[in-house]
Amino acid sequence: MPIKWNALMVSEAMDMVEEYVNQAIEPMEQAKLVATEARKIANLPGYIDQHLVRLISEIERITGGVMSWNQQPYPGNVRAAITSVRESIPSGTVESERQKANSGKQLSLVS
């Protein structure tokens, strides 16, 4: 049964979202490094350290990191959401729509 929405457009939108997310990851990783170094400040009060730990955890939640209890990497909530959208598109639909779009753009050799 054909779908009524455009899976190719959804896929292309996720490509764009992923591109923007990739551009944002580097600054977030830099912020995480600064927060991690701030935790090393001498005589840092525990309540400040707790806030820094929370900040680092929030950055990792967004960008991904390593789960402390099993040391397994995880992609981060943003990348996981992008993957969920892509995995929700019915298998083969994007390629089928891409072929339809390309065949409409190509010149026919037979009239």
Side-chain angles (χ1 to χ4, degrees), residues 37-95:
E37 287 302 311
R39 290 190 68 209
K40 298 175 184 175
I41 294 172
N43 302 316
L44 189 68
Y47 65 93
I48 297 293
D49 187 57
Q50 288 175 349
H51 292 304
L52 291 170
V53 168
R54 187 176 120 226
L55 174 60
I56 293 165
S57 295
E58 288 297 314
I59 292 170
E60 288 177 345
R61 186 179 60 79
I62 293 167
T63 63
V66 176
M67 296 185 103
S68 59
W69 58 274
N70 65 5
Q71 295 302 304
Q72 294 295 316
Y74 63 94
N77 289 352
V78 174
R79 290 185 194 272
I82 293 168
T83 299
S84 293
V85 171
R86 286 190 170 134
E87 289 175 350
S88 296
I89 298 171
S91 179
T93 306
V94 172
E95 191 53 42

